[in-house]
Amino acid sequence: MRETFIDTTTAILDEDPRTALVVADISAASFTTALRRHPDRVFNVGIREQLMAGVGGGLALTGMRPYLHSYAPFLIDRAYEQIKLDLGHQETGAVLVSIGASYDAAAEGYTHQSPGDVALLDTLDGWTVHVPGHRDEVAALLRAAARHDDRVYVRLSTQENGRAYPDAGGLRVLRRGGPLVVAVGPMLDPVLEATLGMDVTVAYTNTPRPLDTDGLRTLVEGEVVVVEPYLAGTSAHLVGQALNGLPHRALHLGVGRAEIRRYGGRQDHARAHGLDPAGLRRSISAFLL
C-alpha cells in the first residue's frame, strides 16, 4: 500500500498543479523525483509533524490541496492539536495518509503504534476515513480525494486481504446468512476465515467514516458484530445511533486498550488482541450462542 501511495501521489502531483505534498522525513527519499519536478509544491519539514500539519493548513488556505504523510502516531496522535486548529478550526481540508496502522511496526515499539487514531479523529467534525483492505483500493481513494477540499484520512497497512473491493465505500455484502458481521479494511480475510461454516452475513467496507448507516439498518436483524483494525469500540457510538429504535445486540472487536509490551510482530499482536481468525471465531461464536 505504501508503494501504491508513493506512485499515485507522484502522478497526482504531475497531473494537478493544485496539489502539494508535505512530509516529515518519513518516505521523503521515495519522493525525490517529485521534489525535483515540483520544488514549490513538495516539502520535507524534517521530524516536525506539528509543523507539517500547520504547513498543510496554510497551503489549504491558499487554495492548494495538500497531502500530508507519516506514521499514524506521528501524523495523528502527535499532531492532533494542529489538525484540530489548523485544519478543522480554519475550515480547511487536507488528505492525511498514514502508514504503520495499529501495530504494523510492532518491533519498533509503542512509539510506532496508533490503535487510537480513528477514535481521535472521531472527536473532530467533518472527517472522511478510508481504511483500504488491499493495495488496489488505494489509488482510487487518493485520486478521489484530490477532486474536493474535504478533510480525508487514508489509513494504510501492511496487512492486506487476498483481493480488492475498490467499490466498497458503503457496506458490501460478500456472504449472506444470519446475523451481520461487518469487517473494516484488512480485517476482511480474518473475518471470512473465522466465520467459515457459520450462519452469518459478512459485509465489508473500506470507508468507515461516514459509516453506511442506511446499509447497516437494512442488514441488521437483531445482532451485529463489528470488527475493526483499530481500537475496539471505535464505531460503537455510530452503530448505536444508526440502530436507535431497533432491537439489537452489538459486539465490537478491535485492538484492546492494554499495551502489549513484548514486541513481537504484527501477527503476534493480532493473536494477543484476539484479531486472528481463531480469536475472532471464539468471540463471535460466544456472542451468537
Side-chain angles (χ1 to χ4, degrees), residues 246-258:
L246 298 179
H248 69 279
R249 294 193 309 136
L251 173 66
H252 293 273
L253 301 175
V255 181
R257 281 171 166 74

Side-chain angles (χ1 to χ4, degrees), residues 20 77 81 105 149 186 243:
D77 303 41
E81 184 177 11
D149 291 309
L243 301 180

Side-chain angles (χ1 to χ4, degrees), residues 149-198:
D149 291 309
D150 296 342
R151 293 182 285 278
V152 177
Y153 178 43
V154 184
R155 189 184 204 260
L156 306 182
S157 176
T158 57
Q159 182 178 349
E160 288 189 274
N161 300 318
R163 61 167 292 186
Y165 296 93
D167 57 345
L171 291 178
R172 175 169 175 169
V173 176
L174 301 179
R175 181 186 295 162
R176 288 198 176 271
L180 176 64
V181 181
V182 176
V184 176
M187 294 312 303
L188 176 60
D189 275 7
V191 164
L192 288 173
E193 183 177 343
T195 58
L196 194 63
M198 297 176 66

Side-chain angles (χ1 to χ4, degrees), residues 11 36 43 55 88 126 153 181:
R36 186 177 65 251
F43 309 95
V55 170
Y153 178 43
V181 181

Side-chain angles (χ1 to χ4, degrees), residues 250-280:
L251 173 66
H252 293 273
L253 301 175
V255 181
R257 281 171 166 74
E259 180 182 347
I260 307 300
R261 294 179 178 273
R262 299 183 66 181
Y263 287 17
R266 173 172 57 79
Q267 294 82 357
D268 298 308
H269 282 250
R271 283 192 295 272
H273 291 290
L275 295 178
D276 61 321
L280 290 171

Side-chain angles (χ1 to χ4, degrees), residues 61-76:
L61 282 171
T62 71
M64 301 291 286
R65 185 56 167 160
Y67 285 65
L68 316 181
H69 166 67
S70 190
Y71 272 89
F74 309 152
L75 179 64
I76 304 298

